[in-house]
Amino acid sequence: MLRYLLNKVAIFFISVFAVVATISFIVYQAPVDPASLQFGQRTDPEALAKLRADYFLDRPFVVQVGKYLEDLSPLQLIHGEDSRKLAYNSVTFFSIGKYEFIAKWPYLRKSYVSGDPVSDLIQEAFPSTLVLGLASMLFAFIFGLLFGIIAALNRDRFIDQFILSMTTLFYSVPSYISAILCAILFGYYLREETGLPIQGSIYGLDDFGNEITDWSKLVLPALALGIRPVAMICQMTRASLIDAMNEPFALTAKAYGIRKPTLLFRQVFPNAWNPIITTLSGWLASLLTGAFFVEYVFNFRGLGDLTIQSLSQFDVPVVLGCCVVTVTVFILINLFVDLLYALSDPRIKI
């Protein structure tokens, strides 16, 4: 177990380094001065020079990436007069000359555009994306599993072919196209029947400035985001159940006269879960961190919308922060799924 966890930690650091290096290289090579974005038309040379020095924009690209990774590191050896220490929420363990060995929370820096801490922006946006991802995944899990069971029990019949055709169509439609179609159909043409708004986040303010939660604004984004996972979960469920029902243990149980529902839920399903769990985990990670265009279409204030706006403004710290959160979520979900494998199937060991 210890070796497994150490491997996961190593993969995490390698992934974060690769993401930071790649995104930094792409964004920093753009013909835009990030320091000028924070001041707009106020081009004070001294202020610009100070900001470039604070964010190491006047240093080589390798140094910029290295300094950002230092900010992310929970443990750091830092010079006592380093200005970054003021922004850290740190605890000093011991000192070595002018250097201090500190422990701190990962520091994602501040937005070039707004000047707000990136961690605050992500903390504000991520709950909406989390709710959207879980809602769309719940929708996909229920209907994908249901359609997959129906298709498997009616293999090669008309209803099986119909479900396969529809799920293939659903899977081939990109999420942003599904979002546009759902917005037009249910939010515009059928607005009087559905009562569903086209745009807006579930968290907002009423006319008196009080915080409110409008769950109706979650329906269309969750529907648009969940259509493709429904198709994938359905097809994977169908294939897994058919394979398991053709195993010797299932054929033997059927020969003993065990009823099909009992055979399905007590014998077949436990042996067909692993591919389904794999599909669920992959889509859950994608939905939690990749609902970019769906959020943009519905003006749903989440992590995806924040990332797209930051990209359009070349707000490098926010883009990098969102990418680091994305990598972290993917790795944590993969870790959870690996542990779930061992719990669901005694043949698998960590």
Side-chain angles (χ1 to χ4, degrees):
M1 176 65 76
L2 179 60
R3 181 180 179 182
Y4 169 77
L5 293 176
L6 290 176
N7 287 337
K8 284 294 183 180
V9 171
I11 291 174
F12 171 74
F13 284 112
I14 293 173
S15 301
V16 169
F17 174 78
V19 167
V20 171
T22 303
I23 300 298
S24 299
F25 179 79
I26 294 173
V27 178
Y28 282 128
Q29 300 307 311
V32 175
D33 183 10
S36 301
L37 295 175
Q38 187 164 340
F39 293 95
Q41 300 297 324
R42 297 173 296 170
T43 55
D44 184 356
E46 295 182 359
L48 288 177
K50 183 179 183 304
L51 184 64
R52 292 192 184 99
D54 291 340
Y55 286 102
F56 308 100
L57 299 175
D58 55 346
R59 306 286 291 277
F61 171 73
V62 176
V63 176
Q64 295 179 28
V65 175
K67 294 296 183 181
Y68 187 81
L69 293 174
E70 283 184 356
D71 292 340
L72 292 181
S73 175
L75 300 174
Q76 184 178 347
L77 185 64
I78 188 172
H79 195 280
E81 298 180 357
D82 195 321
S83 59
R84 294 179 296 169
K85 190 184 176 194
L86 298 175
Y88 292 163
N89 183 14
S90 62
V91 176
T92 302
F93 286 146
F94 55 86
S95 299
I96 305 176
K98 295 182 179 180
Y99 290 88
E100 299 177 3
F101 187 75
I102 63 173
K104 60 180 176 62
W105 289 104
Y107 179 56
L108 300 177
R109 298 187 176 178
K110 294 183 178 181
S111 167
Y112 288 155
V113 177
S114 65
D116 297 325
V118 174
S119 57
D120 291 348
L121 297 176
I122 294 177
Q123 185 177 358
E124 181 181 352
F126 188 73
S128 297
T129 299
L130 178 62
V131 172
L132 174 59
L134 293 178
S136 57
M137 200 66 236
L138 179 62
F139 164 76
F141 174 73
I142 293 175
F143 287 96
L145 207 62
L146 176 62
F147 293 151
I149 293 174
I150 295 174
L153 295 178
N154 297 275
R155 182 182 180 185
D156 296 331
R157 297 179 182 175
F158 171 77
I159 188 171
D160 179 31
Q161 298 300 323
F162 178 76
I163 290 175
L164 287 179
S165 300
M166 294 304 297
T167 53
T168 301
L169 175 63
F170 291 159
Y171 184 75
S172 63
V173 177
S175 296
Y176 68 91
I177 298 296
S178 301
I180 295 174
L181 293 176
C182 289
I184 294 175
L185 180 60
F186 299 108
Y188 181 73
Y189 287 110
L190 300 178
R191 175 68 182 272
E192 295 183 359
E193 288 76 13
T194 62
L196 298 174
I198 296 179
Q199 291 188 331
S201 179
I202 56 176
Y203 302 114
L205 301 175
D206 59 14
D207 295 337
F208 300 98
N210 300 317
E211 294 185 358
I212 59 173
T213 303
D214 187 356
W215 295 107
S216 64
K217 295 179 179 178
L218 178 65
V219 176
L220 291 182
L223 176 62
L225 196 59
I227 286 178
R228 295 189 72 200
V230 164
M232 197 63 191
I233 293 172
C234 172
Q235 296 188 7
M236 184 58 68
T237 301
R238 176 186 179 274
S240 299
L241 290 179
I242 290 176
D243 288 343
M245 285 190 293
N246 289 327
E247 291 289 333
F249 74 89
L251 297 176
T252 303
K254 187 184 296 185
Y256 275 100
I258 297 178
R259 293 186 305 168
K260 184 175 289 188
T262 303
L263 173 64
L264 178 66
F265 290 104
R266 291 189 178 181
Q267 303 291 333
V268 174
F269 245 118
N271 291 275
W273 262 121
N274 283 349
I276 301 174
I277 291 174
T278 302
T279 305
L280 286 172
S281 65
W283 277 106
L284 178 59
S286 299
L287 294 181
L288 287 179
T289 59
F292 290 63
F293 295 105
V294 173
E295 290 184 3
Y296 189 74
V297 169
F298 289 102
N299 195 25
F300 195 86
R301 304 290 181 176
L303 193 65
D305 183 70
L306 175 64
T307 305
I308 290 179
Q309 291 192 12
S310 302
L311 277 171
S312 65
Q313 298 170 336
F314 290 95
D315 200 346
V316 181
V318 179
V319 174
L320 288 175
C322 292
C323 291
V324 169
V325 171
T326 300
V327 172
T328 303
V329 169
F330 264 90
I331 293 177
L332 290 178
I333 289 180
N334 287 332
L335 175 61
F336 173 76
V337 170
D338 288 344
L339 297 176
L340 193 60
Y341 281 158
L343 294 176
S344 63
D345 192 340
R347 297 171 298 178
I348 297 178
K349 297 181 179 180
I350 296 297

